[in-house]
Amino acid sequence: MTTDLPSVAPAVTAELVAALSPRLRKRLDAGVAKLRARPAVREGDAVRIALDDDTDIVLEAPGGTVTSATAIRCGCLLAPDCLHRAAVASAAPIADDTAADDADDPYDADAPDGRTAREDEGTRPEQSRTEAAFDRQPTDRQPAAADRPAPSPPAPPGEADDHDAPTTGHMDAARAVFDATAAVLVAGTDGAGAVLQAELLRAAHSARLAGLPRASAAAVSVVNGVRAARTGDAGYRLADLTGALADVLGVTHRLPRATGAELAGLRGSARRPYRPDGSLRLYGLFSEPVLTATGYAGAVTWTVDTDGRLYSVADVAPGGAARAASAAGRTVRMGDTALTHGELSRAGLAVSGATVSPTGRLGAGGTVRAVRAPGAAWREEPSAGLWAEPVAEQVRRALNGTHDLLFLDVTLIGAVREAAGDCLLADCGGVPVRLTTAHDDPALPFRDNLRLLAAVPGTRLRVVARLMPAPLPRAALLAAEHPGDAAARVNLGLDRLQRADLPRPAPGPVPHPAAPAGVFEEAPLHLLRRRVQQAVSGGRRVLSLARGDRGDGARLRAAGLATAADLLDALHAAAAVRARDAFGRLLPADTDRFARAWLAAAVYTDTVESALCAHAWEKAAVPV
């Protein structure tokens, strides 16, 4: 039913839940589950849900969003203090506060989502990687606490911070978001019901009013991830929610001590600034579908200019898998061009009066003019220059926070079975690379296309993929040369290959590159990562029960990962310690200590995995 409901502003949900009595709060999660099973009927700007034969609940949503508590009306005898109003608000999608600031572009770089992927900068709609990544050094012995500063993006032009240090309002709002997020972490997805979610939404709304849009958006992404986990959403990924939690805790933890440009980066921007960029001659590269957990869908088309700089054009709006699957046929919103996204991925564009965001997103303002122009093949300039860059340099650039696209020349080897499903093994300059699907939704052809490519081992292809930080080389496959025609290309998330498109397999055995040797690929860092993710699912209680397992720490120390072992011990200790009062009764758990211990472990794991990822790609040679 939630897909039929209008979105509800975070402040509305928080207000309705806060107004419930303690007795009704205990029944809220059951009420949400019952409402999800009831059909919703749209009547103009209103949505009506029949609770029984005589009682309805109505949501007034002009523009598709419920913006006040009075817009939700219930016909039961206990209204307006009934459970139904809070339950329906908790079951509905969360409205995007940035829509009012940037209505022309809901796919906003400063509004990360539990995506998806990380949805900022046009990257990974189905994956999440914390933007609060710490300094990535290929060593185990480095500061383990979350106090270690992270590189923050510079303040956009015209958006310089008015303060050299955080104000009292900033610190109070950050503290509220940190505490509410810590409470969700301590409870885990199994225990973080509608009440805890509403508290985090209230803190997120307060953070936005205090001028902290980045913390606000990150907190909302956590709530979206928790809801997806609790409802069994097929698009839910534990790694996404883990990254979202690390992001919001990291931002709010560092903000009180930040100054200048770092503070501006931690505060974020509510509206993406666009700067004039004159005239551009662009050549289409590929298009990828966008399908987020928050109800947005569409496509992003990537282009390159004559100097080798990347630009993207997005068409993302509320919708589901059907909108994402059909996005290739939608017209590009720029100037008077009639090009669709699928056509632009293979053609060119001449733009005058262009406006560009700091992440390379092209604006579609009224002064922008664009006409169709000839494109260029991937093996012609300027596109060919993207593949000429050494692979190791591309990986370092992606890990340092720039766009995470990889332009690779590979030789297909075949399918490899993994716990999460089959992936395509390929040789990239002597390094075995696992190429996975960018999205698992069956409405998108990623999985079917990957399976067909795995059937033609020995085929050499030029591909575009998105880096997936891991101890072994791994990337999500986005586009590739047509296996039967090197002059053509395939958008693997929008175009569907046929078996007739495949060439005959090359005769003779297919060379299988040796896996890179060394301690890095054998480092048991997954032991720490497993506990970090277990805390997200099961909360503090799961780790307190697992404290007696000393084998993980011993294995980490034996592998030279003493810092990882210390962080694991500290995490278990923070989960298990419970103080007692003068009468011997257990006091509430120290959520602050547990959240900080978890954040240190999550940041360390992300940092070391990034270092191992860079090391694993170092031996990739540039094809001649």
Side-chain angles (χ1 to χ4, degrees):
M1 180 203 71
T2 54
T3 56
D4 300 323
L5 288 177
S7 56
V8 176
V12 173
T13 304
E15 177 183 346
L16 292 175
V17 173
L20 294 176
S21 65
R23 180 180 65 86
L24 290 180
R25 286 191 178 196
K26 294 179 181 179
R27 298 169 51 192
L28 181 56
D29 288 329
V32 172
K34 289 181 179 178
L35 272 171
R36 284 200 175 101
R38 306 297 298 176
V41 179
R42 187 172 295 275
E43 301 172 351
D45 288 337
V47 173
R48 184 181 302 273
I49 303 169
L51 300 177
D52 54 41
D53 292 340
D54 302 318
T55 308
D56 292 344
I57 186 169
V58 179
L59 294 84
E60 296 287 348
T65 301
V66 176
T67 57
S68 68
T70 57
I72 301 179
R73 305 190 308 273
C74 183
C76 73
L77 296 177
L78 297 179
D81 299 324
C82 63
L83 177 71
H84 304 125
R85 297 172 70 224
V88 75
S90 300
I94 303 172
D96 184 5
D97 280 346
T98 62
D101 298 323
D102 199 1
D104 185 53
D105 191 358
Y107 192 61
D108 186 59
D110 291 314
D113 174 285
R115 80 269 147 320
T116 101
R118 144 175 155 190
E119 295 168 18
D120 53 76
E121 303 176 12
T123 64
R124 262 203 294 288
E126 78 300 337
Q127 274 195 323
S128 177
R129 191 175 74 221
T130 175
E131 294 178 4
F134 283 57
D135 296 330
R136 297 177 170 90
Q137 300 296 332
T139 177
D140 176 58
R141 279 294 182 184
Q142 46 188 319
D147 294 315
R148 192 151 44 97
S152 300
E159 299 243 347
D161 193 3
D162 295 333
H163 306 280
D164 291 331
T167 64
T168 302
H170 291 156
M171 291 189 287
D172 290 344
R175 180 76 248 184
V177 173
F178 186 95
D179 290 343
T181 306
V184 170
L185 177 64
V186 167
T189 56
D190 294 338
V195 174
L196 287 180
Q197 295 170 28
E199 290 299 323
L200 185 50
L201 289 178
R202 176 186 294 277
H205 179 66
S206 299
R208 189 161 194 85
L209 294 180
L212 302 177
R214 179 176 173 183
S216 174
V220 171
S221 74
V222 169
V223 177
N224 281 319
V226 171
R227 289 185 178 182
R230 292 175 61 86
T231 57
D233 191 322
Y236 166 72
R237 292 187 179 182
L238 179 58
D240 294 353
L241 181 55
T242 302
L245 282 164
D247 189 16
V248 64
L249 289 175
V251 168
T252 53
H253 172 75
R254 287 169 15 236
L255 189 139
R257 291 175 291 278
T259 59
E262 182 189 9
L263 175 60
L266 293 175
R267 288 180 59 190
S269 174
R271 184 184 180 94
R272 176 186 305 156
Y274 284 83
R275 56 176 173 78
D277 203 22
S279 298
L280 296 173
R281 176 65 170 90
L282 303 176
Y283 300 84
L285 288 172
F286 72 99
S287 293
E288 60 173 317
V290 173
L291 183 59
T292 75
T294 50
Y296 284 98
V300 173
T301 299
W302 291 85
T303 64
V304 61
D305 71 357
T306 53
D307 296 326
R309 294 178 298 178
L310 294 180
Y311 295 85
S312 60
V313 182
D315 180 1
V316 181
R323 190 180 196 280
S326 62
R330 295 183 177 274
T331 303
V332 174
R333 295 187 307 157
M334 184 177 299
D336 299 325
T337 178
L339 279 173
T340 64
H341 281 270
E343 292 170 340
L344 177 57
S345 68
R346 298 171 175 86
L349 205 62
V351 184
S352 62
T355 57
V356 184
S357 78
T359 60
R361 184 69 48 79
L362 291 168
T367 61
V368 179
R369 296 290 181 268
V371 295
R372 180 170 185 159
W378 280 1
R379 296 184 181 271
E380 301 174 354
E381 293 296 342
S383 301
L386 299 171
W387 277 265
E389 181 183 6
V391 175
E393 292 294 332
Q394 295 187 48
V395 172
R396 279 193 287 270
R397 175 251 302 148
L399 292 174
N400 287 333
T402 320
H403 73 82
D404 50 4
L405 297 178
L406 301 180
F407 301 89
L408 310 174
D409 285 287
V410 300
T411 300
L412 305 183
I413 296 175
V416 174
R417 186 171 299 278
E418 295 184 330
D422 292 350
C423 66
L424 175 60
L425 186 66
D427 173 30
C428 178
V431 171
V433 179
R434 287 167 171 80
L435 299 174
T436 66
T437 58
H439 206 292
D440 291 328
D441 193 288
L444 303 176
F446 279 120
R447 178 67 62 185
D448 293 339
N449 288 335
L450 199 73
R451 188 178 296 114
L452 285 175
L453 291 177
V456 285
T459 303
R460 293 181 58 83
L461 291 177
R462 182 160 280 190
V463 303
V464 182
R466 175 161 286 123
L467 177 67
M468 301 178 66
L472 295 177
R474 180 181 293 271
L477 195 57
L478 301 173
E481 288 178 333
H482 194 288
D485 181 5
R489 68 194 75 161
V490 180
N491 298 314
L492 296 174
L494 298 170
D495 305 326
R496 193 173 292 275
L497 285 171
Q498 304 296 328
R499 189 164 296 276
D501 297 326
L502 304 180
R504 295 194 176 189
V510 178
H512 194 299
V519 67
F520 291 95
E521 67 173 293
E522 300 175 0
L525 195 63
H526 66 277
L527 299 176
L528 180 59
R529 170 64 75 185
R530 179 179 63 183
R531 296 305 184 192
V532 167
Q533 293 186 342
Q534 279 181 341
V536 176
S537 293
R540 180 197 61 81
R541 188 181 298 272
V542 170
L543 292 190
S544 67
L545 296 175
R547 189 186 180 191
D549 185 4
R550 303 288 184 178
D552 289 351
R555 286 184 62 188
L556 289 169
R557 287 187 174 89
L561 299 175
T563 301
D566 292 343
L567 289 171
L568 182 60
D569 292 344
L571 184 58
H572 281 307
V577 171
R578 294 286 300 275
R580 295 180 180 271
D581 62 13
F583 299 98
R585 295 172 299 192
L586 280 174
L587 295 174
D590 188 347
T591 59
D592 188 83
R593 176 184 174 184
F594 179 74
R596 293 177 189 277
W598 181 89
L599 177 60
V603 168
Y604 172 89
T605 307
D606 182 74
T607 302
V608 176
E609 284 185 345
S610 295
L612 296 180
C613 176
H615 173 83
W617 286 88
E618 280 182 358
K619 295 184 180 180
V622 179
V624 179

